[in-house]
Amino acid sequence: MAISVNTVYQTVLYILNKEQRGYAPPDEFNSIGAQVQLEIFNSYFPDGNQVNRQNQRNTQNDTEYFNIFDNLSYRLTPFVQEITLLLNNTLTGATPIYGDGISFSYPLVDPTSGSLNPEIYLFGEVTCIYTGSPRYESVAQKTSKKEYTRIEKSNLTKPTKSYPIYYNYGSYNPSGNIPSGYSIIPSPLPDSVTASVIMRPNPPIWNFTGGSYGQYIYSSSNSNDFSLDISEQTNLVTNILKYFGIVLNDPTIIQVAEQEAQQVSINKKS
Amino acid sequence: MSLITETNQQYYEGAQGFVGDNVKESFLTTFNTDLIFGSFDPAAVNYALNNFKLYTSPSGLPGTYTEYITTFTVLNNTINFPAAPATGLYIVVQLKILSGGNYGDSTAGTGFDAIGEVVEDNYGGYEYIVLNDAIDNFMVGYVGDGKLLQKAKKSDVLFFAKRSLQEFSYDTLKSVHSQELNIPPSLSVILPQDYVNYVRVSWIDQLGVKRIIYPANNLTISPYENPIQDQAGVPTQDNFGGNIEGTSITEARWKAANDNLLNGRLINNIDALAEFQNALGFNGDFNTGRQYGLDPQLSQVNGWFNMNEREGKMSFSSNLAGKLIVLEYISDGLGYDADTKVPKLAEDALYASILYSIVSTRSGQQEYLVQRLQKDRRAKLRNAKIRLSNIKLDEIVQVMRGKSKWIKH
């Protein structure tokens, strides 16, 4: 469940007011909130790698709620999505990509609706679908371009509909050198491609209307909650405070917030 | 989930039935065999590609089914009609079978029977596991966090699985490949497309009994090159700088050879003479020592074969001209998609072989682990070989009875 942007903002304001440390205007809060959210989000991946070593050594516990790796994976759940990639020569509209007929893309702009697609943070499992009878729905192996060529050349490993492979590259809009999305070249050429991806979190927005005394009044319309899981609320508040300490040039806030954040991190990983 | 997913009717008859309800337009078939669809129209060329026929009947009674040749499509083993079949219409998908199936009998003889070998190809399939399934099973059971292989690329697993299957095919798995051939006047037959090595070559007599033909290892050879030489014995070249090849004189002589001069068989008329003399009590020196010095390896009348590597053919001795032979051979198990299956009796050996191959080719692996997996592989492979050798105690006992050696069991 997402974290309410208003709750976090109010908590930050209370703490800052209590300590007589000044005021955090909404614009600053939104920018710092987005930065902190991204930092926490980014930390999942090295942390996941670290705590997964317990799985590799078979020392991970098998409890329902205290398996730290599972808990970390759970926090990523809101960002996991399944997307459909489009064959490049089928793209229409304002952003035709490449048009080579052998690559599949997830364009920055949806060619049908014209709206911006959510930004992909990481690509996971890619599934190639071959229609017909029989129908194949096979997980493709990700390779580098070099491996791709090698695998293609060996008769024993040559990709088939049961064992497709792909490599990825950033495609460019032919009309200009503007990156126009994430593309893959699979082999053999499938009829359609789906992929499990992790989306980049939406930046938080604390939107407001002006009060009769010129004060800011929270407006839920056009506001964005933090995309992080609710279990990250404490972490989020302390890290935002840390940044406000820097903005306000107050080392005591930084110190307290850093200690707090460090303690949370140690508890998680030990 | 049980491993058998076909009903008895699907397995034995190769048929699956549906009933129309005027609503449903698509009917999913669940055979082990994927439906192959070329065309619904018998007049179309691609119709012959179909591995099934579709029959309908208003009553479902035997003899009332007729082939459905109006528009339909097949996608992902699902039969799709353009409009929902009427309520109560019986629909049967009949895979092609040697007997033609029961459903086309009403029009038997008019070409509407589903004649083919699709159903027979599936018979006995439970004995095997498909290589793709074995690879998927391996990825589930042996690769992942906390296992010996934390990570393995599927292409690596695929490579070693196929290599293992090749090795198994050479010396562990049963040889299931054989061809029945006639020896032409040229005395040579082309090697099968998926041939790797022969197991046995036999000619078939009038009773259908096979008579082993032996290789002519030390008797003759088919030379790999037959360069034309000049007076000085130097090979001559053509305009492109390559040696000019002639025909083999060795082969010509071998084809014209009288085998009786090689195998020590008494020539018929002399045999008759000898019998006559013996019957009359002539004890002269006619027959004394005539069988002396026979080489047992050559003393057989079934004939010889030798490999002609130059032409990719198998050549036979002249006494086999016109004979029916059966060539049993081994392949590497990867020639055709249908071949890529592993007997279940060797499934565990395959996993052990893949695991060992992957671990042993990785750098930085502890040697004790590699050794352990090597032993494991060897033991499982030996087990598989024993299992597949089909040694049955009753059969051994029966053979030994013929030798007057009674084994209690």
Side-chain angles (χ1 to χ4, degrees), chain A residues 55-56 58, chain B residues 139-151:
Chain A
N55 288 336
Q56 294 172 338
N58 284 323
Chain B
M139 295 298 287
V140 170
Y142 292 84
V143 183
D145 290 331
K147 296 175 184 167
L148 266 184
L149 296 176
Q150 303 279 356
K151 183 173 182 281

Side-chain angles (χ1 to χ4, degrees), chain B residues 33-81:
Chain B
T33 310
D34 289 317
L35 296 188
I36 298 171
F37 178 68
S39 170
F40 65 88
D41 180 7
V45 176
N46 286 343
Y47 175 78
L49 293 175
N50 295 2
N51 66 350
F52 69 96
K53 287 200 179 190
L54 195 60
Y55 297 102
T56 54
S57 162
S59 63
L61 296 172
T64 60
Y65 282 90
T66 53
E67 187 178 358
Y68 184 85
I69 50 172
T70 323
T71 312
F72 69 90
T73 57
V74 177
L75 193 66
N76 193 22
N77 295 323
T78 304
I79 310 271
N80 300 300
F81 294 94

